[in-house]
Amino acid sequence: MDPHMMLTAAMFAALVFLMMAGFPVAFTLAGTGLLFGFIGMEMGILDAGFMELLPNRLYSNVIRNELLFAVPLFVLMGVMLERSKVAEDLLESMGKLFGSMRGGIGLSVTLVGALLAASTGIVGATVVTMGLLSLPTMLKRGYDPALATGAIAAAGTLGQIIPPSIVLILLADVMSSAWQQAQLTQGIFSPTPVSAGEIFAGALLPGLVLVLLYMLYQGAVAILKPNASPAVPREEGVVIDAAFLIRTFAALLPPLLLIVAVLGAILGGVATPTEAASVGAIGAILLGSARVGGAGPRLVIVAVASLSALLLIAAGFDLRMARAEVPMADKAAFFAAIVLSIVFVAAVGLAIRATWKSGILVDVSRATLRISTMVYTILIGASLFSLVFRGLGGDEVIEHWLTNLPGGTTGAIILVMVLMFVLGFFLDFIEICFVVVPVVAPALLAMDGVHGPVWLAVLMAMNLQTSFLTPPFGFALFYLRSVVPDEVKTSTMYRGVIPFIIIQLVALIIIALDPGLVTWLPDLLFKG
């Protein structure tokens, strides 16, 4: 057996074994890389000078990677919206709106999950919030516990496929490197880049299709098994009058505006994902300050009004003051922009002060630091592992293995998808994203029949989403178990998520068979 193939196979097997044994992922990645790096140097397979590339690799791929700056900003945005009870307002309003329908509470959970996915993207926060607020009501109304827990867990995972999403940000970074590597191996020395905005656009329609499939399933259950998801009795229902509609609109409008601002800026090409994430973080802080009371609502109005006026001035006037001759109107607009900028910064500063005084900002900052540190530490370990893996010739081994599989490209994609699905039973999505994707993606993208990096990234994102639901280590199940009453058994939760896992696999097959569902919107926005 070829020593390169033997060593790379042993390296990958050792990594999977150690992670399944429960060792910390980041240190397992780094330790496995170092161990097999030394083994490779002793065997004469790996040049010792190859390890000197690690500092430059970390500096360029991690420290100076502007795309990864979006991770802590999106995390802050999501945690702030969850801790400031914006999600509670959404869930309460939608539950009252749809509660009179058979299966209405379950449908409202799915819709709120989709809205929270587009505004938070934090699975744990979404699942726990909806479990605390919706599950007692659903059980009290006679919902089948399996259906109730399955609907909540599945809706909470929508944040991984509906942008903006941490999974899509990480996949965009990994897929960009894999796409450039694939083009270089094909002799294309001016590789075309793939942006996070394209992957966001590609994931939007599949995410909405998944939401629709969830709702169709729950509607079918409500029709075929009415006792499993009954309606709220009419005498207990909410009177839908003008006042109720105004309250519902007031709960829906702020997160919807935030979604439009963040996603619209990315998909419209106005801002990069990192810039849009900063807008989302500031918007979440403003909404959080409005939720804690005091002058919060007025701060939101002042901030939005001043920012809107700034955008209008920037669009209507030339604010460059270094020109030889500057018209008086442009000078007046320039000074007005300065004043509006000061007003906006002051409003944001007061909003930060309000959230800090209420104690929300401290909790949000700690949670953001904890999650972001975990992601970056795993990324550093993955960089060391992938460097040694490639130095040992692992990428050539994987490419040779995939290209010689029966079934060609289709067989290779099916095998990779099955591998990722099975690993999802035991590993977290971040681990799969940093371990499996960099290894297999370059080889897949170099093969004929793969419909581009955006399609492959969305296909993998949909597959990674199942890892949150697949027992025994699905993280959504762990989060939900922490708030589920003791009378609801864990086996009941497992039974409840199985139909939603099947729906996710159906969505995966739809994406595989109809690539246009993924590629149409990115082509329209970025190449049209």
Side-chain angles (χ1 to χ4, degrees), residues 436-504:
V436 179
V437 179
V439 173
V440 300
L444 288 177
L445 290 171
M447 299 172 71
D448 294 331
V450 176
H451 302 279
V454 174
W455 175 77
L456 185 61
V458 175
L459 202 65
M460 289 180 169
M462 186 68 75
N463 199 338
L464 288 173
Q465 189 187 358
T466 63
S467 67
F468 281 90
L469 294 181
T470 47
F473 299 119
F475 275 72
L477 301 176
F478 284 141
Y479 294 134
L480 189 57
R481 178 71 267 180
S482 66
V483 296
V484 166
D486 293 336
E487 57 266 23
V488 179
K489 298 180 179 179
T490 302
S491 59
T492 301
M493 294 171 52
Y494 288 174
R495 181 163 49 89
V497 299
I498 288 175
F500 293 95
I501 295 173
I502 295 173
I503 291 173
Q504 290 177 335

Side-chain angles (χ1 to χ4, degrees), residues 94-430:
M94 298 298 285
K96 290 178 179 178
L97 188 62
F98 291 97
S100 58
M101 298 169 52
R102 188 184 299 168
I105 301 179
L107 293 176
S108 67
V109 165
T110 301
L111 287 173
V112 171
L115 287 171
L116 292 178
S119 56
T120 67
I122 307 298
V123 170
T126 304
V127 171
V128 169
T129 299
M130 293 197 297
L132 287 171
L133 298 178
S134 296
L135 187 59
T137 302
M138 296 173 82
L139 296 178
K140 179 182 177 182
R141 300 301 179 193
Y143 267 71
D144 178 14
L147 176 63
T149 53
I152 291 172
T157 65
L158 288 171
Q160 302 310 300
I161 190 65
I162 296 179
S165 158
I166 303 301
V167 169
L168 295 178
I169 288 287
L170 299 178
L171 267 177
D173 181 60
V174 174
M175 197 60 65
S176 178
S177 299
W179 178 231
Q180 291 183 17
Q181 185 180 344
Q183 292 178 93
L184 291 173
T185 58
Q186 293 174 311
I188 302 172
F189 298 106
S190 296
T192 57
V194 56
S195 67
E198 292 178 82
I199 294 178
F200 277 14
L204 187 58
L205 290 181
L208 295 178
V209 167
L210 186 61
V211 173
L212 179 61
L213 291 175
Y214 282 173
M215 296 179 69
L216 288 175
Y217 166 71
Q218 293 183 75
V221 170
I223 295 172
L224 299 175
K225 297 181 179 179
N227 293 331
S229 54
V232 176
R234 183 170 298 178
E235 59 272 13
E236 298 181 23
V238 177
V239 178
I240 301 179
D241 53 10
F244 172 76
L245 292 176
I246 291 173
R247 289 195 302 271
T248 303
F249 181 73
L252 285 172
L253 185 60
L256 283 176
L257 287 177
L258 193 60
I259 293 168
V260 171
V262 174
L263 278 184
I266 296 172
L267 300 182
V270 178
T272 65
T274 303
E275 293 165 347
S278 64
V279 172
I282 292 173
I285 291 172
L286 289 169
L287 293 181
S289 69
R291 192 66 176 76
V292 299
R298 291 192 292 274
L299 290 176
V300 175
I301 295 172
V302 170
V304 172
S306 59
L307 184 60
S308 301
L310 268 173
L311 293 175
L312 290 174
I313 289 175
F317 297 91
D318 188 346
L319 301 182
R320 295 172 299 170
M321 294 292 107
R323 293 172 290 165
E325 294 184 6
V326 181
M328 185 60 65
D330 288 349
K331 290 181 179 179
F334 177 78
F335 287 111
I338 292 177
V339 173
L340 290 170
S341 299
I342 293 173
V343 171
F344 177 76
V345 171
V348 173
L350 291 173
I352 293 174
R353 180 174 179 270
T355 54
W356 174 69
K357 289 183 67 176
S358 66
I360 293 176
L361 187 61
V362 175
D363 291 340
V364 170
S365 299
R366 287 174 177 168
T368 302
L369 181 62
R370 183 172 63 252
I371 296 172
S372 302
T373 302
M374 176 193 68
V375 172
Y376 274 89
T377 306
I378 293 176
L379 180 56
I380 291 171
S383 296
L384 176 56
F385 177 87
S386 62
L387 177 67
V388 175
F389 189 81
R390 286 182 180 147
L392 295 174
D395 48 352
E396 289 88 356
V397 171
I398 294 296
E399 183 177 359
H400 175 77
W401 180 57
L402 289 176
T403 53
N404 287 279
L405 283 172
T409 302
T410 302
I413 291 175
I414 291 175
L415 181 64
V416 169
M417 290 297 114
V418 171
L419 174 65
M420 293 177 67
F421 179 73
V422 172
L423 287 176
F425 282 80
F426 309 101
L427 303 179
D428 183 25
F429 77 95
I430 299 179

